[in-house]
Amino acid sequence: MWARLDAPGRVTMFRSVLIANRGEIALRVIRACKELDIRTVAVHSEADRTSPHLEYADETVCIGGSRSAESYLNMEALIQAALQSDCQALHPGYGFLAENSLFSSLCAQSKITFIGPPPGAVRLFGDKVRARETMRSVGLDPIPGTDGTVDNLKEASAAAEEIGYPVLLKASAGGGGKGMRIVNAGGDLEGAFNEASLEAEKAFANPALCMEKYISRGRHIEFQILADVFGNAVHLGERECSIQRSHQKLVEESPSPAVDEDTRKAFGEKVSRAVAAIGYVNAGTVEFLRDEAGNLYFMEMNARLQVEHPVTEMVTDFDIVKEQLRIAANCPLSITQDDVKMSGHAIEVRINAEDPDNGFKPDPGTITEFEPPCMDSVRVDTHIKPGYTIPPFYDSLLCKLIGRGEDRAGAISTVKQALEGFNIKGVKTTIPIHIEILSSEEFRKGDYNTSFIPDLFRAKGREQNG
Amino acid sequence: MQPKNTDMVRLIGEARTCGVRESETLKGHFELLAPGVGFFDMPPAVGTFLMPGSFVGYLTVIRKYFHLMMPEAHHGVVTHLHIENRKQRVEYGQPLFTVSSEAEAGLTTEFKMMETETGTKDDGIPEGMFGLKSPTDGIFYRRANPQSPSYVEEGAIVTQGATLALVEVMKCFNPILYPGEPEFPPKARVVRITIEDSTEVKHGLVLFIMEPA
């Protein structure tokens, strides 16, 4: 579907790759390149001059000032850095420019391979409405709802009958809970419609509402996909990321306790076929919301490598980043669906420099002590060293800790043990909240959903107040 | 044959201002820093006087030329280049060259802009005096910028290395320094300045009539 503008027909592996990111993921990509004997060129901003990840690269280039806009978001500087350091390809990591179609087009124009999906795919999945329509056309249904707005009560009532109660009314202009109403039955519709419309008008100066099926106790399930330029695609199973705080994932696991073997096989293959059908190339993640009946509704596709990719790597024993490099070099997929074997269970926790007792306020500072646990079946992805000062310009992710066990209970106890033995001093971290999550009965039973963290904090608030 | 696109089209980007860092080793010197990643070319020669807004080279970023400028509130003479080759790749904040903020300090053995002929009777220079000629065609300035005082007034006594004026050639400001020995006495008095401020001068035109002091 999308023509590759960069060096069509290239079959040789890149000699040098520019790592267009920072921190933990930059180091992760450098490691994958080293395993494939690729020379690495790391970029950094003024504030990251002393960042430990630079020691691992073969060459470093300072690309701009401390603010992201001057450095890691500076497309021109990144492409020029790749050109002048003789790199044939560029890995964007996640965040920053990973899902910017202008940037990947500019890379192609300068004959630099963007290690990720083609610009057209990035553009498609950046447009939520088009993404929904496209995915529906290849058999992945989004959450049932109206494609446009519902303009009056009559339309709303007709739409609600069609979708089926309970439904969610939401402001088409914005988010954040404003102008949002859950309607459980037809009798409540009139009041809810008027209230939501008024609230939307006040908050966004636009009273327009749209409607979708309300999914209570929804779970966030996502499938990892790899696709090559020849139209082959495989899935590496699913991850569950329902433990979220205001759409920021905290804990991820694979496989999901809510997905059984048959669903994984059938639905996974449906997803990889759909992704291949739209001509997607490279690694990607298709996110679904699972309702209590077990239906999976398409939410969005992340056209990039994800933060939580190690969870899948731990259970499939397959290196996603190395495969990304091979796919970008126009190699066919090195595995078929039958080669993908999931064994055991893996859980990842994101350790951020944030204070969980204080509304997750970021806590930059100098790390005085940093001793990750040394355990079998625990992987720690980090760029931190003792004495490192966290710059205040970027995100608060310090490290990712991934533990694997023979089964889910084993993985939980591995991660819990690892967290208890993790020594970080100098900044406040999210370790205590992770231990709390892993110890909770609800999590241990595997019976949780996206309201887990809000519920936990509501309960804690009650305890403190009473 | 179709010409190569990249050879034919050179896009001229906007001007960019260099960063500045005080020199750690040399007092009164500062370093000009690259404002971004790219290939740096056309540095000024050692001895060139630079003013705010002076052209200090090109930075090529993805086949676009950026005109590099001297930042506001900084001026001086280039004393040392950190860049060895033409078209050298530089990173953000890399020092390009060292500039001395005192023009006199820029007088090095490499710097010979001034012609050192003495005037003859034909130039209309009185007996016992001598003339300093313009080293090049250009525009003659008696001051660093319109707000600042003149470098020298008539009657002033100057010593070897003192700045007398500037001659601008193609946006480069060349200081006219008093050359002193061996051709001239180490100290001299400016008798007459023959040229108005900001006027065009020709190579070899007498700018200053001076006498030993």
Side-chain angles (χ1 to χ4, degrees):
Chain A
M1 187 168 171
W2 295 289
R4 291 183 76 90
L5 298 169
D6 50 314
R10 164 195 282 284
V11 283
T12 49
M13 191 34 92
F14 313 109
R15 288 188 306 280
S16 310
V17 168
L18 188 92
I19 318 296
N21 213 302
R22 64 178 298 282
E24 168 276 316
I25 193 63
L27 188 53
R28 168 75 189 90
V29 178
I30 290 172
R31 288 209 172 110
C33 288
K34 279 190 191 276
E35 285 183 34
L36 292 170
D37 274 332
I38 299 170
R39 180 176 148 266
T40 50
V41 180
V43 299
H44 62 92
S45 68
E46 191 77 36
D48 274 342
R49 254 178 211 289
T50 55
S51 178
H53 83 266
L54 301 174
E55 293 163 24
Y56 298 87
D58 295 305
E59 200 183 315
T60 64
V61 183
C62 180
I63 47 162
S66 300
R67 277 176 292 159
S68 308
E70 295 167 8
S71 46
Y72 301 106
L73 290 173
N74 184 344
M75 303 187 199
E76 200 179 70
L78 285 163
I79 293 173
Q80 175 62 27
L83 288 173
Q84 71 184 43
S85 52
D86 190 31
C87 292
Q88 296 83 45
L90 170 157
H91 197 299
Y94 52 71
F96 294 125
L97 295 170
E99 285 172 287
N100 186 312
S101 59
L102 174 62
F103 182 59
S104 54
S105 303
L106 283 175
C107 287
Q109 199 182 35
S110 294
K111 301 269 188 293
I112 291 164
T113 303
F114 177 85
I115 301 171
V122 178
R123 211 174 300 123
L124 168 65
F125 291 111
D127 178 343
K128 300 279 172 266
V129 177
R130 256 183 77 210
R132 267 172 70 107
E133 284 165 11
T134 310
M135 290 311 248
R136 185 186 288 138
S137 73
V138 290
L140 296 178
D141 290 325
I143 298 169
T146 54
D147 286 327
T149 57
V150 282
D151 298 328
N152 51 48
L153 191 60
K154 207 173 144 201
E155 266 183 53
S157 170
E161 286 303 327
E162 199 188 313
I163 296 165
Y165 289 98
V167 295
L168 180 70
L169 280 168
K170 54 181 193 179
S172 78
K178 290 266 165 50
M180 232 182 226
R181 285 290 180 285
I182 299 161
V183 188
N184 289 312
D188 306 334
L189 187 64
E190 185 173 356
F193 184 87
N194 293 337
E195 277 173 41
S197 186
L198 201 68
E199 218 173 278
E201 166 90 72
K202 272 191 196 149
F204 314 110
N206 180 357
L209 299 175
C210 36
M211 188 188 282
E212 66 179 36
K213 189 163 179 63
Y214 175 66
I215 292 170
S216 63
R217 305 177 59 79
R219 301 182 71 143
H220 178 119
I221 311 275
E222 57 185 33
F223 279 82
Q224 175 70 53
I225 301 294
L226 287 166
D228 67 14
V229 290
F230 304 98
N232 306 312
V234 296
H235 74 90
L236 299 180
E238 82 288 357
R239 293 185 285 260
E240 164 130 22
C241 316
S242 300
I243 309 282
Q244 301 182 355
R245 187 192 64 86
S246 48
H247 298 286
Q248 296 295 310
K249 296 165 186 167
L250 288 173
V251 178
E252 298 99 352
E253 63 179 312
S254 180
S256 163
V259 176
D260 60 43
E261 187 61 48
D262 294 339
T263 315
R264 178 172 310 117
K265 192 166 186 309
F267 202 78
E269 276 169 25
K270 193 171 161 188
V271 175
S272 58
R273 268 202 308 278
V275 167
I278 57 168
Y280 188 85
V281 175
N282 218 300
T285 301
V286 192
E287 295 188 341
F288 297 93
L289 192 63
R290 181 188 182 275
D291 67 9
E292 279 182 297
N295 297 312
L296 289 164
Y297 297 113
F298 169 75
M299 285 197 294
E300 60 178 13
M301 176 152 186
N302 294 316
R304 56 169 155 85
L305 180 69
Q306 283 199 289
V307 182
E308 60 270 26
H309 74 277
V311 185
T312 300
E313 293 185 333
M314 290 288 266
V315 289
T316 55
D317 198 20
F318 185 75
D319 192 318
I320 296 172
V321 183
K322 263 159 73 178
E323 192 67 6
Q324 274 199 301
L325 288 158
R326 284 193 215 104
I327 293 171
N330 288 351
C331 299
L333 284 181
S334 59
I335 47 165
T336 62
Q337 192 61 59
D338 292 339
D339 299 330
V340 180
K341 297 272 183 291
M342 287 174 83
S343 77
H345 197 101
I347 296 175
E348 173 187 277
V349 293
R350 298 190 193 186
I351 300 174
N352 296 339
E354 290 171 358
D355 183 358
D357 293 330
N358 199 353
F360 289 87
K361 202 168 113 281
D363 188 22
T366 301
I367 309 279
T368 49
E369 283 177 40
F370 189 82
E371 291 168 65
C374 273
M375 281 167 70
D376 278 357
S377 62
V378 168
R379 164 174 166 182
V380 178
D381 276 19
T382 185
H383 62 294
I384 305 289
K385 281 188 173 173
Y388 175 69
T389 301
I390 307 159
F393 304 99
Y394 318 107
D395 69 17
S396 57
L397 183 66
L398 293 178
C399 91
K400 303 186 302 205
L401 185 148
I402 310 101
R404 187 183 172 280
E406 284 310 308
D407 51 21
R408 191 164 184 272
I412 293 174
S413 68
T414 305
V415 175
K416 207 175 147 198
Q417 233 184 89
L419 286 174
E420 282 161 356
F422 206 141
N423 179 20
I424 305 182
K425 292 218 169 71
V427 296
K428 292 213 169 68
T429 73
T430 47
I431 290 179
I433 187 80
H434 286 310
I435 294 176
E436 205 170 320
I437 294 167
L438 294 172
S439 314
S440 84
E441 192 59 28
E442 213 179 333
F443 185 81
R444 297 187 86 91
K445 273 197 288 189
D447 180 23
Y448 61 92
N449 56 63
T450 47
S451 56
F452 181 91
I453 295 288
D455 289 349
L456 185 76
F457 277 86
R458 221 168 289 134
K460 278 175 80 156
R462 264 203 302 277
E463 259 170 47
Q464 276 165 12
N465 295 335
Chain B
M1 207 178 94
Q2 195 72 16
K4 263 195 191 163
N5 215 13
T6 49
D7 294 336
M8 297 294 288
V9 183
R10 289 285 181 183
L11 297 164
I12 308 289
E14 73 269 32
R16 285 190 178 176
T17 308
C18 286
V20 171
R21 185 174 67 197
E22 289 297 319
S23 172
E24 285 165 14
T25 47
L26 290 165
K27 202 173 158 278
H29 287 61
F30 57 90
E31 285 165 344
L32 277 199
L33 310 176
V37 198
F39 294 107
F40 178 70
D41 203 357
M42 288 186 69
V46 170
T48 312
F49 181 81
L50 302 170
M51 291 172 50
S54 287
F55 169 78
V56 294
Y58 279 120
L59 192 70
T60 317
V61 184
I62 329 179
R63 298 189 293 278
K64 254 192 292 184
Y65 277 146
F66 288 91
H67 190 128
L68 299 192
M69 285 190 330
M70 189 77 172
E72 285 298 315
H74 285 85
H75 64 88
V77 172
V78 179
T79 57
H80 176 67
L81 296 181
H82 299 283
I83 303 298
E84 287 153 15
N85 315 316
R86 295 198 59 181
K87 286 247 165 206
Q88 183 167 326
R89 60 190 208 198
V90 294
E91 59 180 356
Y92 173 85
Q94 185 173 333
L96 301 174
F97 40 86
T98 305
V99 176
S100 161
S101 40
E102 293 142 26
E104 285 76 12
L107 183 73
T108 63
T109 49
E110 295 144 273
F111 182 59
K112 281 267 178 259
M113 287 300 285
M114 209 43 218
E115 284 200 0
T116 54
E117 306 159 35
T118 43
T120 62
K121 285 284 173 206
D122 300 343
D123 298 326
I125 294 168
E127 196 75 47
M129 297 187 189
F130 56 92
L132 292 182
K133 295 176 174 183
S134 174
T136 170
D137 291 1
I139 299 161
F140 174 81
Y141 292 106
R142 287 186 54 198
R143 53 197 94 221
N145 64 61
Q147 285 77 42
S148 54
S150 304
Y151 286 110
V152 285
E153 297 294 345
E154 288 179 0
I157 292 174
V158 293
T159 52
Q160 182 168 345
T163 306
L164 304 178
L166 301 173
V167 175
E168 182 201 341
V169 196
M170 290 177 280
K171 304 230 161 140
C172 278
F173 289 84
N174 305 289
I176 307 290
L177 306 181
Y178 180 62
E181 285 179 312
E183 289 89 349
F184 299 109
K187 262 173 119 181
R189 185 194 312 277
V190 179
V191 178
R192 196 150 62 83
I193 303 169
T194 61
I195 307 292
E196 287 284 301
D197 193 15
S198 346
T199 49
E200 210 181 316
V201 294
K202 292 276 179 224
H203 171 92
L205 186 75
V206 175
L207 304 174
F208 296 92
I209 294 175
M210 313 189 74
E211 63 177 9

